[in-house]
Amino acid sequence: NYNATAFASLAKDSTVSRYDMTKVVGLTSPLEAPNKNALFYASQEQQVGGTNVIVDMVCDNLDLTPGYNFLPREDFKALQATYHATQAVGQYGTALLPFDALTPSGLFARKVNAINNSYLNDVDSCNLEMKGGTPYIILTGEPIDITATDAEVSINTPSLGTDTLRGTWTNIVATESEWVIDDASTQYFNEYTGNVIPALTAYLEYNKKVRVGSKDYNSKDAKAKSLAQQITSALETYEAYEALTSSAAQASFMAAIDEARDTLRSQPVTSEQTTQIKALETAAETYIASVASVADNGYVDMSNYIANPSFELGSTKNWTAVNASASKITSSLANYMAGADGSYVVYIKEGGSVEQTITGIENGVYQLVAGVGADYGNHITLYAGSNSVTVEATDFGPMYLEDVTIDDITISDNTLTIGVAGVEDWIKADNFRLYQISGDPTAVESVTITPAPSRKGIYDLSGRRLNAIPTRGIYIIDGKKVVK
């Protein structure tokens, strides 16, 4: 009769690779052992399933981790097979699979065909499919799974590569002629005598150091490593600011990461990898710049979605302008404007306007605020989507801006057009701000946004923590974007 506690007390040997449970009565799932790759053989009558359980030579779910012995009694079929690539991210490593699988996005795999002196002089540029029984050099920017369905599982399939690069199905202690990849910045197959070579990885049976980067693809291999490390950095940035960014910003950044993953898998020429690295760096900066801070009114500040909101580019760039231009503020009465944000405002002549269409913003209910001014008695119209408000110029006179607000702006298609227009004569406007009051109005339940806890500390736009506040530039303090 099966007793899980008794089995656990007996099955303590992590080197045991399989258990015959066919005669055990009352067998229940899950079946576990110290060896994560241990196989459990059961009978159809026992009606037990789970990970690494084989019934009539079929395994519903095979789950394999390097560093644990894998020695099946015979070949079998796995309806779902998974190999966890666990080597250090951003570093070359090796992998040995007992089944065929497509190389996943985000992983670079290479078969070695021959070695000459201290170089891998005959290698495949990259392998989009990994064959069971063949050792591969692999590179990834994140922990990644290699998977297959309806897989034929065997440890008897001969390698398709050089015999000098050998895989092992069990943990073995390296001899003086069995070399493994080190973790140096420039990586080599290096002496490993007396240390354990993990199961389901590979080693080089050789007598000297061999550089991991191939002779034919040396430049491309170095750039691939940089790309993998950039993916690692991007994923860390994504996680660090996930609670402070919108779903649209997250989706855009993840799309850039996915593109980089595909590039790493397919191994294009060096210049394409360089372009991809720069694109991912830019995407990370854009993602961090979208960090939503909490305004004094308690709403989520989404003003970062407005491009050139205070016309500090010295122009109406990013706005559709009709009879309008940026005007520099000076001390002269003609060009002075109290209440302005920065050194410029937009000056709009009679009949003119400026507007901007914001895209990719999270759906919800919003508030728009802008500073506006005009000559005595004149009127200004501020609008956002189908909402608008028309106000008369402040009584303080034409040299003053006054904040005007539009509430209850509903965004349901991730798009909003905002703008300002004059009714009679000239007007001026500045400092457009946008706040999210509540979440998606189309959701089943209306949920008020509670500001996410900010990430404490000072960070630059690459996500690096700083020890002090910079004297100028754009940076993040406790989750809030600051411009100096």
Side-chain angles (χ1 to χ4, degrees):
N1 292 321
Y2 181 67
N3 182 297
T5 303
F7 178 77
S9 67
L10 294 172
K12 293 182 178 180
D13 189 348
S14 62
T15 65
V16 175
S17 58
R18 57 181 181 263
Y19 297 87
D20 187 345
M21 313 293 283
T22 56
K23 304 300 182 182
V24 178
V25 177
L27 199 59
T28 57
S29 297
L31 297 175
E32 297 177 338
N35 178 358
K36 292 184 178 181
N37 296 339
L39 301 173
F40 302 92
Y41 290 85
S43 66
Q44 192 71 45
E45 292 75 19
Q46 290 169 311
Q47 296 184 340
V48 63
T51 302
N52 293 2
V53 176
I54 299 176
V55 178
D56 293 340
M57 308 316 300
V58 176
C59 178
D60 287 344
N61 181 27
L62 178 66
D63 191 90
L64 299 178
T65 301
Y68 295 90
N69 295 349
F70 179 68
L71 291 173
R73 192 167 58 192
E74 54 213 331
D75 297 352
F76 63 94
K77 182 176 183 177
L79 301 184
Q80 177 69 38
T82 302
Y83 174 99
H84 302 290
T86 57
Q87 96 267 7
V89 297
Q91 293 280 75
Y92 282 103
T94 57
L96 176 69
L97 278 62
F99 53 83
D100 296 349
L102 295 177
T103 304
S105 177
L107 185 140
F108 161 52
R110 167 175 288 160
K111 177 168 63 72
V112 179
N113 302 311
I115 296 170
N116 182 18
N117 199 8
S118 59
Y119 283 96
L120 307 177
N121 73 315
D122 183 4
V123 300
D124 293 350
S125 174
C126 72
N127 295 98
L128 302 183
E129 182 179 6
M130 303 175 71
K131 291 293 187 179
T134 298
Y136 290 87
I137 292 175
I138 63 172
L139 173 70
T140 179
E142 60 194 298
I144 204 164
D145 291 341
I146 304 170
T147 63
T149 55
D150 295 327
E152 299 298 329
V153 181
S154 176
I155 61 171
N156 302 306
T157 307
S159 172
L160 300 178
T162 175
D163 289 339
T164 308
L165 183 63
R166 299 190 173 190
T168 176
W169 302 112
T170 61
N171 294 329
I172 59 173
V173 177
T175 67
E176 62 182 13
S177 62
E178 294 169 341
W179 301 48
V180 302
I181 297 178
D182 61 24
D183 58 0
S185 56
T186 300
Q187 291 181 268
Y188 288 84
F189 281 94
N190 220 327
E191 187 177 0
Y192 206 58
T193 305
N195 293 297
V196 175
I197 301 174
L200 304 182
T201 66
Y203 61 92
L204 201 63
E205 191 167 35
Y206 212 54
N207 57 5
K208 63 169 61 178
K209 288 173 61 175
V210 175
R211 187 166 178 166
V212 175
S214 71
K215 191 171 185 179
D216 291 337
Y217 303 109
N218 192 40
S219 175
K220 189 170 76 167
D221 289 353
K223 193 60 67 175
K225 193 170 181 179
S226 297
L227 178 57
Q229 292 167 351
Q230 190 65 44
I231 291 172
T232 303
S233 175
L235 289 168
E236 290 172 350
T237 298
Y238 181 91
E239 183 179 358
Y241 296 102
E242 188 174 7
L244 303 171
T245 51
S246 69
S247 57
Q250 292 164 15
S252 178
F253 189 29
M254 189 53 67
I257 293 173
D258 285 341
E259 188 173 343
R261 286 166 167 160
D262 289 341
T263 300
L264 182 62
R265 173 181 182 264
S266 61
Q267 277 294 285
V269 296
T270 303
S271 60
E272 290 184 33
Q273 293 187 84
T274 300
T275 299
Q276 191 61 65
I277 290 171
K278 291 179 179 178
L280 196 52
E281 289 174 343
T282 301
E285 291 175 358
T286 301
Y287 176 71
I288 295 173
S290 75
V291 167
S293 57
V294 180
D296 293 338
N297 57 16
Y299 300 151
V300 179
D301 189 348
M302 305 292 275
S303 303
N304 50 284
Y305 278 89
I306 305 174
N308 194 17
S310 294
F311 307 94
E312 292 306 297
L313 296 179
S315 69
T316 55
K317 183 179 180 180
N318 305 114
W319 296 84
T320 299
V322 177
N323 291 331
S325 61
S327 175
K328 187 172 178 62
I329 299 169
T330 68
S331 57
S332 70
L333 291 180
N335 295 308
Y336 182 74
M337 213 68 197
D341 177 48
S343 302
Y344 289 86
V345 297
V346 64
Y347 175 77
I348 304 171
K349 297 178 182 179
E350 181 179 355
S353 64
V354 291
E355 75 171 33
Q356 180 177 148
T357 298
I358 301 167
T359 60
I361 193 167
E362 187 172 353
N363 291 336
V365 179
Y366 285 77
Q367 177 190 81
L368 178 68
V369 182
V372 298
D375 207 351
Y376 294 107
N378 290 340
H379 294 80
I380 309 109
T381 297
L382 179 69
Y383 58 91
S386 60
N387 300 46
S388 66
V389 60
T390 299
V391 297
E392 188 173 336
T394 175
D395 292 336
F396 288 109
M399 293 181 294
Y400 289 85
L401 292 176
E402 182 178 39
D403 276 352
V404 177
T405 301
I406 303 177
D407 289 311
D408 300 323
I409 305 162
T410 298
I411 299 177
S412 57
D413 61 355
N414 307 111
T415 302
L416 177 68
T417 297
I418 62 172
V420 63
V423 178
E424 299 97 358
D425 204 346
W426 65 266
I427 63 170
K428 292 183 180 181
D430 192 40
N431 195 16
F432 282 77
R433 287 146 283 164
L434 188 63
Y435 304 102
Q436 188 179 40
I437 300 172
S438 64
D440 189 346
T442 64
V444 176
E445 221 179 307
S446 180
V447 181
T448 300
I449 292 179
T450 301
S454 60
R455 192 181 188 210
K456 299 298 182 182
I458 308 166
Y459 297 85
D460 64 14
L461 289 184
S462 298
R464 293 186 293 266
R465 190 180 182 97
L466 305 177
N467 295 323
I469 299 175
T471 56
R472 60 182 300 175
I474 303 174
Y475 51 92
I476 308 293
I477 298 181
D478 294 343
K480 293 186 178 182
K481 185 169 62 176
V482 177
V483 181
K484 271 200 170 184

